Amino acid sequence: EKPKSRKPIKTYSKLESKINDVIKFIKKEIKIIKFLNHFLAIAKAMTNIGESGISLWDEEDKFFYDVLHFPEEKPIHVKVRSIVGLIPIFAVEVLEPELLERVPRFNEHLDWILENRPELASLVSRWNEPGRGHRHLFSLLRGSRLKCLLRRMLDEDEFLSSYGIRSMSKIHEKHPYVLHCEGKTKHCNGSSKVDYQPAESNTHMFGGNSNWRGPIWFPVNFLLIESLQRFHHYYGSDFKVESPFTSGQKLTLEDVAEDISNRLGDLFR
């Protein structure tokens, strides 16, 4: 009987092992670069939707709003001040200089964008300006816009409550947003209203759940706290905002994050 042939045993030399490590590292760098490109694409879309010149940022109100497109009509900002307008705060990462030294291709890609696509580079805040500890910031918000959003978020007449950040500004309690859309679309024959509902909904839509109309969303508050801590990690103690707004009290972003954490804790005390 003919003996069965055995498969050769695969052995790796130190060189082969190093080559495999390098290949894995290169693949990771490629993924990091791909993530950066997606980040820039999102930033561009928020600033210039479909190359139409329309931005989600409203210069008059200093806030992010949804944009509604009607057939054959000019798009409009849906001026509902909800926590959706605060979500751009989440898009923040702080990179340590030691980490950037380990990803040379990523750094080369950053330099290429700065040199060849300055219009894209300008959409992302301070990636080439070292902050505290020579760290680099990747954010959709420059410091001025961040302060504008925090001014509303930390206003007790808007988002700041005794138990955290509301999912909708309290301003809509007395000033509901009304969208008039008669004849503009088959899905809306009259007008639609959005108001502040901090508890049960006044309609049976979504099972009577009013989560998007005022109540505290714990997970979203957690993301806000985490994001503020990251911004503080870059800006340090020199960056302060008034909290609560109009109180005259200036706090660092780390202190603001801690204050929101304490307010959330009061839900259970």
Side-chain angles (χ1 to χ4, degrees):
E1 186 178 348
K2 192 174 181 180
K4 294 180 180 179
S5 60
R6 293 182 178 179
K7 291 182 178 179
I9 298 173
K10 182 66 176 176
T11 59
Y12 288 96
S13 67
K14 287 185 178 180
L15 177 60
E16 285 177 304
S17 178
K18 288 291 184 184
I19 290 172
N20 283 323
D21 288 342
V22 169
I23 291 172
K24 289 178 182 177
F25 181 76
I26 291 173
K27 287 181 178 179
K28 286 181 180 178
E29 271 203 287
I30 291 172
K31 286 183 179 179
I32 295 170
I33 291 170
K34 185 177 180 180
F35 173 81
L36 172 65
N37 291 337
H38 288 175
F39 189 80
L40 291 171
I42 291 169
K44 182 180 179 182
M46 290 176 63
T47 306
N48 185 11
I49 302 171
E51 303 293 342
S52 62
I54 299 168
S55 172
L56 297 182
W57 177 259
D58 184 81
E59 275 297 338
E60 182 181 0
D61 291 353
K62 308 295 182 185
F63 199 76
F64 286 103
Y65 291 121
D66 290 326
V67 171
L68 188 60
H69 287 253
F70 287 116
E72 300 179 3
E73 290 202 25
K74 185 180 178 181
I76 60 170
H77 281 111
V78 181
K79 294 195 173 186
V80 175
R81 288 213 278 278
S82 79
I83 205 163
V84 174
L86 301 177
I87 285 178
I89 295 174
F90 300 170
V92 55
E93 190 56 80
V94 178
L95 300 183
E96 300 289 342
E98 299 82 9
L99 178 62
L100 288 173
E101 289 175 2
R102 292 167 51 194
V103 283
R105 289 177 181 80
F106 180 71
N107 279 317
E108 289 173 8
H109 190 62
L110 288 179
D111 291 339
W112 184 90
I113 291 173
L114 285 168
E115 184 176 346
N116 297 280
R117 300 295 302 277
E119 77 284 0
L120 287 180
S122 65
L123 300 175
V124 179
S125 178
R126 297 183 179 275
W127 72 13
N128 61 329
E129 299 176 29
R132 187 179 65 162
H134 301 287
R135 301 180 182 101
H136 291 261
L137 178 71
F138 284 79
S139 169
L140 292 178
L141 302 174
R142 293 196 171 273
S144 56
R145 283 193 178 180
L146 176 61
K147 286 186 175 181
C148 288
L149 288 181
L150 293 181
R151 193 174 298 126
R152 295 207 183 273
M153 190 183 91
L154 300 174
D155 187 341
E156 293 175 313
D157 291 330
E158 292 224 27
F159 288 97
L160 184 63
S161 79
S162 300
Y163 302 102
I165 304 301
R166 303 177 176 105
S167 60
M168 179 171 288
S169 171
K170 194 179 179 183
I171 195 172
H172 292 305
E173 183 177 37
K174 295 181 180 178
H175 304 282
Y177 177 80
V178 180
L179 174 66
H180 298 284
C181 52
E182 296 90 343
K184 294 183 179 180
T185 170
K186 63 181 180 180
H187 301 294
C188 180
N189 297 320
S191 60
S192 298
K193 182 177 75 171
V194 176
D195 55 3
Y196 174 72
Q197 300 169 30
E200 288 75 19
S201 175
N202 56 17
T203 74
H204 294 293
M205 291 179 66
F206 311 110
N209 190 321
S210 70
N211 276 354
W212 288 103
R213 298 292 182 263
I216 309 301
W217 278 37
F218 211 95
V220 176
N221 273 254
F222 172 81
L223 292 173
L224 282 170
I225 291 167
E226 189 179 57
S227 300
L228 292 173
Q229 290 171 339
R230 288 180 178 174
F231 276 113
H232 176 78
H233 196 51
Y234 173 80
Y235 284 113
S237 299
D238 292 336
F239 192 103
K240 293 184 178 182
V241 293
E242 193 173 16
S243 181
F245 183 59
T246 72
S247 68
Q249 176 180 244
K250 294 284 187 176
L251 298 180
T252 66
L253 297 183
E254 184 177 46
D255 292 334
V256 172
E258 185 176 356
D259 178 55
I260 296 172
S261 298
N262 291 334
R263 290 169 187 258
L264 290 169
D266 286 342
L267 285 165
F268 306 98
R269 296 188 182 105

